Amino acid sequence: MRVIVVKDKMEMGKRAAALIAEDMRKKRGPYVLGLATGSTPIPLYQELIRLHKSEGLDFSTCISFNLDEYVGLSGDHDQSYRYFMNTQLFDHVNINKKNTFVPDGMAKDVEAFCEQYEAMIDDVGGIDYQVLGIGANGHIGFNEPGSSLGSLTRIKTLTERTISDNARFFARKEDVPTLAITMGIGTIFKARKAVLLANGAGKADAIKASLEGPVASFCPASALQLHRWATYVVDEAAAAKLTLNHET
Ligand code: PGA
């Protein structure tokens, strides 16, 4: 595993964007991005927008799949992840929105939808670069502790910890949805490359457990220890509890 420790979240965004942009520029044909929401990837998306506007980074052949979406929120709800992706990235680069996919939080037949989402990813040849945040409890996507390491896209119940962590985005804690559709750990694992971002002291325990603890469903991000091409880009505060030496 490659672990890059940077000074702060702006640097985190820049380093991760550079990794992805380099890979995008190398590949001919459609490029498939796996995308994440939350506060962590915002500096990455800002840098990708800058690279598009000032260095011509081209998203016209990109296809994207987001990790997850709350059940019960439609794409025009300002806390839906579709809304987040439009406003934080898609509206500012030359991606064709028809090629951007976020799980449908309003799907009537959730099971059928999840199967179809997996098939759509496979049909375009799989994800080239998967962007990940990490929950304070070690989750990736909404794969909460205890998730099967081989899981595929499905519905998950959010833990109390995740609901509290995400309450800051909603008027009241009771407004946070309790269910989500999320790619599974197995879905994430199929991506050709993955980059996990984290910043701030609140993530230090999760970063330590996922990198220096055992591979275990109790810490879903630890599954990345088995991935062929996973990179962590974390700031000094999130890296503070690591004991091994890392790249800077
Ligand atoms: P955050 O969420 O980026 O808002 O901290 C990360 C996550 O829960 O995966």
Side-chain angles (χ1 to χ4, degrees):
M1 294 210 45
R2 189 172 174 202
V3 181
I4 303 172
V5 180
V6 297
K7 190 163 56 69
D8 56 26
K9 65 178 178 187
M10 295 319 290
E11 194 59 28
M12 175 193 76
K14 280 192 168 42
R15 289 293 282 275
L19 293 173
I20 294 169
E22 189 193 351
D23 204 56
M24 279 172 70
R25 287 184 165 120
K26 272 201 281 208
K27 194 184 174 210
R28 284 166 183 267
Y31 192 85
V32 186
L33 283 164
L35 298 174
T37 52
S39 43
T40 311
I42 292 175
L44 160 66
Y45 297 148
Q46 287 171 347
E47 178 64 6
L48 288 175
I49 293 166
R50 193 194 69 74
L51 289 172
H52 167 66
K53 290 196 187 324
S54 46
E55 295 181 25
L57 184 65
D58 182 20
F59 290 81
S60 64
T61 65
C62 280
I63 302 168
S64 71
F65 291 92
N66 262 78
L67 283 168
D68 46 17
E69 179 62 283
Y70 290 118
V71 167
L73 299 194
S74 64
D76 53 7
H77 188 289
D78 67 2
Q79 288 310 323
S80 74
Y81 288 164
R82 158 56 72 183
Y83 186 92
F84 176 101
M85 288 313 304
N86 286 350
T87 52
Q88 297 293 335
L89 181 65
F90 301 153
D91 288 343
H92 311 286
V93 295
N94 65 335
I95 197 165
N96 181 345
K97 280 219 190 99
K98 290 202 177 100
N99 294 332
T100 67
F101 302 96
V102 179
D104 180 4
M106 303 299 282
K108 292 224 160 47
D109 184 343
V110 173
E111 211 172 303
F113 175 82
C114 292
E115 266 184 45
Q116 188 194 344
Y117 202 68
E118 287 288 329
M120 283 163 63
I121 296 171
D122 292 342
D123 285 351
V124 298
I127 289 168
D128 287 306
Y129 226 126
Q130 177 66 56
V131 175
L132 297 165
I134 184 170
N137 65 2
H139 74 201
I140 45 176
F142 273 133
N143 294 287
E144 299 284 34
S147 292
S148 158
L149 298 183
S151 52
L152 299 178
T153 303
R154 70 218 183 287
I155 197 162
K156 281 296 286 182
T157 304
L158 306 186
T159 58
E160 202 39 50
R161 175 78 190 263
T162 297
I163 291 170
S164 313
D165 285 351
N166 290 0
R168 68 191 194 277
F169 300 114
F170 291 81
R172 298 172 316 156
K173 189 177 166 196
E174 300 75 66
D175 297 336
V176 184
T178 56
L179 298 173
I181 295 174
T182 182
M183 279 185 198
I185 299 173
T187 321
I188 293 166
F189 206 77
K190 284 190 286 181
R192 202 162 54 81
K193 294 185 177 182
V195 61
L196 184 144
L197 310 182
N199 65 276
K203 299 290 171 69
D205 285 326
I207 290 298
K208 162 107 178 131
S210 68
L211 281 171
E212 297 184 355
V215 174
S217 63
F218 199 70
C219 180
S222 66
L224 293 173
Q225 291 177 28
L226 298 171
H227 196 279
R228 271 176 305 167
W229 209 312
T231 303
Y232 273 46
V233 183
V234 300
D235 78 348
E236 286 170 1
K241 297 195 174 168
L242 295 177
T243 55
L244 300 176
N245 284 340
H246 296 296
E247 256 179 83
T248 50

